Amino acid sequence: MTTLTKQRQGQSTAAGTGRAVRTLVTLTAALGLAVGAAGPAQAGPNLVTNGSFETGDFTGWTQGGNTDFSGVECPGAPNALDGDNCDAFFGPIGSNGTISETLNTIPGVFYNISFHWRADGGQTSFFSAVWDAQPALVSVTNPAAGTFFPTFSRQATASTTTLTFSLRDDPGFLILDSVSVVPEPGTMALLGIGMAGLWWRRREAAK
């Protein structure tokens, strides 16, 4: 082996090592950016507009069905369920009223859905909450008197997802407050890493 051949072989090895180092740095940076991008979503705001009805009305929500005897009260009676000033009340007679809100979501990401609601135990009454076209989060006919604070985890399957509440209380009123939809931190981080992996595969294929 000549000296020239050794020099060329050494240059080739050095170049390969340099490319490997650059590859590792680039991939690490991409993963870091992906996790960083997921960071704000972990502590991100509630996706629901006016989830506690503090505007004093149904701003951000769409009413449907029987809207009689429904509205927002400030201050809430006897007090708002989440400690704020306002809550929403629903007392449609004979048929259900609804409120719904369409949220911007990321397909594949799981979301924590929570709300506070109160029943007076009257009959006939009904309460349900539905996350898009999936089975109901809650569906109760003639619920017992009490205050409830459920939390659910559901996956988004599209770029928009509709959260709908259906309510009826012939002799009295159901109360709803503190509606919240927040991305689960774990799935946002995994999504970010997956996006980094996809970017890397496309980059390698383009070489």
Side-chain angles (χ1 to χ4, degrees), residues 120-134:
D120 58 13
Q123 299 184 15
T124 299
S125 60
F126 177 77
F127 178 90
S128 76
V130 176
W131 174 254
D132 209 32
Q134 299 181 29

Side-chain angles (χ1 to χ4, degrees), residues 27-67:
L27 181 56
T28 302
L31 288 172
L33 287 173
V35 174
Q42 295 177 36
N46 183 5
L47 299 184
V48 177
T49 299
N50 195 26
S52 291
F53 308 100
E54 293 302 303
T55 61
D57 55 23
F58 286 118
T59 295
W61 296 91
T62 299
Q63 286 187 273
N66 185 348
T67 60

Side-chain angles (χ1 to χ4, degrees), residues 16-28:
T17 302
R19 283 194 298 270
V21 170
R22 287 195 297 271
T23 295
L24 180 61
V25 170
T26 302
L27 181 56
T28 302

